[in-house]
């Protein structure tokens, strides 16, 4: 199994990317511990992704590289900063580019990052309108990392930081459980076991 971590800040060296690196580099996410054969972390701002116009050929020169990672992934972690109460435009553009062939019936853990005490609205926004056609499955657990500059840095004795790290570990454990559970559904759909899946290919 493979895990793909997407951090979607439009800034280089962002706090969102820091959270992504923490997840990718943490010892509890070693393949032996979590059951993943590989873990990849992509920062969307390091790729040239045009704002998509709806045409398959206009996704940009870097899309094939990203698409390959999505195709291979069994689970995704989607990290967005909160900007003015909204999710990152990069994340929403990325999710528009994803097709059900790449992402349908794959679980996703949503993480919202805030430098203050916010972070709720991006989770609500993405859950409400970002999965209709790509058919990603957001798991019930999500994470809101507030005052992000002060947490997930070096090893800390701070009780809040310790509790947050434990919650991150729990959420990632649950993501892996969903990844295992959804594999049979994807396999059956790949074998065209459900003839209506093309007729009802778009969500409502």
């Amino acid at each position: 199994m493979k895990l793909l971590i997407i951090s979607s800040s439009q800034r280089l060296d962002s706090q969102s990317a820091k959270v992504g690196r923490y997840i990718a580099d943490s010892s509890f996410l070693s393949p032996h511990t979590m059951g993943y054969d590989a873990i990849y972390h992509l920062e969307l701002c390091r790729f040239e992704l045009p704002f998509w116009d709806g045409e398959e050929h206009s996704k940009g020169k870097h899309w094939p590289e990203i698409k390959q990672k999505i195709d291979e992934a069994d689970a995704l972690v989607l990290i967005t900063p909160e900007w003015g109460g909204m999710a990152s435009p990069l994340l929403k553009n990325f999710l528009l580019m994803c097709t059900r062939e790449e992402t349908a019936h794959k679980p996703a853990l949503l993480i919202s990052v805030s430098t203050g005490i916010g972070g709720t609205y991006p989770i609500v926004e993405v859950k409400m309108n970002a999965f209709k056609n790509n058919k990603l499955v957001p798991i019930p657990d999500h994470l809101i990392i507030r005052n992000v500059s002060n947490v997930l840095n070096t090893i800390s004795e701070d009780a809040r930081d310790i509790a947050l790290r434990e919650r991150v570990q729990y959420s990632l454990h649950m993501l892996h459980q969903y990844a295992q559970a959804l594999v049979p559904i994807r396999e059956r759909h790949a074998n065209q076991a459900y003839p209506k899946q093309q007729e009802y290919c778009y969500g409502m």
Side-chain angles (χ1 to χ4, degrees):
M1 302 194 83
K2 295 182 180 180
L3 175 66
L4 178 61
I5 303 163
I6 299 287
S7 53
S8 64
S9 175
Q10 292 167 220
R11 297 171 175 164
L12 294 172
D13 302 316
S14 65
Q15 292 295 318
S16 299
K18 179 190 79 174
V19 173
R21 288 192 299 271
Y22 169 78
I23 293 171
D25 297 341
S26 294
S27 60
F28 57 78
L29 259 183
S30 67
H32 174 72
T33 303
M34 288 296 293
Y36 291 108
D37 300 310
I39 300 165
Y40 300 104
H41 174 215
L42 299 181
E43 292 182 63
L44 292 183
C45 65
R46 297 187 182 274
F47 298 89
E48 294 180 19
L49 289 179
F51 279 107
W52 191 42
D53 64 4
E55 298 295 333
E56 187 64 28
H57 60 79
S58 65
K59 292 184 178 181
K61 65 180 181 180
H62 288 145
W63 184 252
E65 177 184 352
I66 296 172
K67 180 184 184 303
Q68 181 181 354
K69 297 300 184 188
I70 304 169
D71 283 335
E72 295 173 351
D74 295 284
L76 289 85
V77 176
L78 303 177
I79 306 170
T80 178
E82 181 181 53
W83 284 5
M86 295 181 288
S88 161
L90 268 182
L91 178 62
K92 291 185 281 188
N93 190 53
F94 164 78
L95 291 171
L96 281 172
M97 289 182 173
C98 292
T99 67
R100 61 187 180 278
E101 286 79 11
E102 298 147 3
T103 56
H105 314 298
K106 293 182 179 182
L109 169 64
L110 302 182
I111 301 178
S112 177
V113 169
S114 175
T115 56
I117 60 172
T120 302
Y121 291 128
I123 297 291
V124 174
E125 178 185 7
V126 173
K127 280 190 174 182
M128 181 176 66
N129 60 26
F131 301 126
K132 185 176 82 71
N133 292 342
N134 57 46
K135 299 195 175 183
L136 272 169
V137 181
I139 68 172
D141 296 283
H142 61 256
L143 293 167
I144 301 174
I145 301 179
R146 298 182 169 103
N147 297 305
V148 65
S149 302
N150 301 321
V151 296
L152 304 183
N153 297 311
T154 57
I155 298 299
S156 173
E157 298 297 324
D158 179 71
R160 176 178 174 268
D161 199 358
I162 293 171
L164 176 60
R165 290 168 191 257
E166 291 175 351
R167 185 60 183 259
V168 170
Q169 184 171 353
Y170 166 77
S171 297
L172 291 165
H173 170 74
M174 292 306 302
L175 178 66
H176 187 260
Q177 299 298 302
Y178 279 93
Q180 290 179 307
L182 288 172
V183 166
I185 294 178
R186 293 203 304 278
E187 290 176 345
R188 288 195 292 269
H189 275 257
N191 295 328
Q192 300 294 315
Y194 299 106
K196 290 287 188 180
Q197 64 180 326
Q198 293 304 317
E199 181 178 346
Y200 302 128
C201 58
Y202 299 112
M204 295 181 68

